[in-house]
Amino acid sequence: MTYILIGLAGGLVGGALGLGGGVVMVPLLVFWAGLTQHQAQGTVIAVLTVPVFLLAALRYHAAGNLKIQIAAYLAAGFVVGALLGAHLIQGIPDTTLKRMFGIFSILIGIKMAFFK
């Protein structure tokens, strides 16, 4: 049930705010479910591999808020970037990776909340 609730939270925030859900699910898996940072990130990537956001994307499309051509280009870059990123972090200690995730999340939050 814990994992279903974490997935529900990630899906809700991801669908509502376009965050991909990882911003919510990774910390919850680390702090609530006891996974390491590496395990949480790998698990969330596996979740997002399945077209779980298909229905949310269809809803955005129905409202005229989906740019399909841009999404296709982003997806092409994302595939390469995700493979490269997953390869590069494997040797990084878990504590360092957790700090990197947290700092990145804070910086993005500050930029979104206070700057144009």
Side-chain angles (χ1 to χ4, degrees):
M1 188 59 153
T2 297
Y3 300 123
I4 292 172
L5 291 174
I6 290 172
L8 179 64
L12 181 65
V13 173
L17 301 177
L19 294 176
V23 171
V24 173
M25 290 190 293
V26 168
L28 288 176
L29 287 171
V30 169
F31 297 117
W32 197 14
L35 273 63
T36 68
Q37 185 72 24
H38 285 88
Q39 291 169 336
Q41 289 181 199
T43 301
V44 169
I45 287 170
V47 168
L48 299 177
T49 300
V50 180
V52 294
F53 284 108
L54 179 61
L55 294 177
L58 289 173
R59 178 63 188 102
Y60 276 98
H61 180 65
N65 293 316
L66 174 60
K67 301 291 186 186
I68 293 175
Q69 186 175 12
I70 294 172
Y73 286 123
L74 289 171
F78 190 87
V79 167
V80 174
L83 179 60
L84 181 60
H87 176 73
L88 291 174
I89 64 99
Q90 295 308 314
I92 295 175
D94 197 63
T95 302
T96 303
L97 185 59
K98 191 183 303 181
R99 287 181 181 142
M100 290 169 57
F101 184 93
I103 290 168
F104 180 77
S105 298
I106 289 168
L107 292 175
I108 293 299
I110 290 169
K111 170 71 173 152
M112 295 293 292
F114 300 110
F115 300 99
K116 289 184 177 185

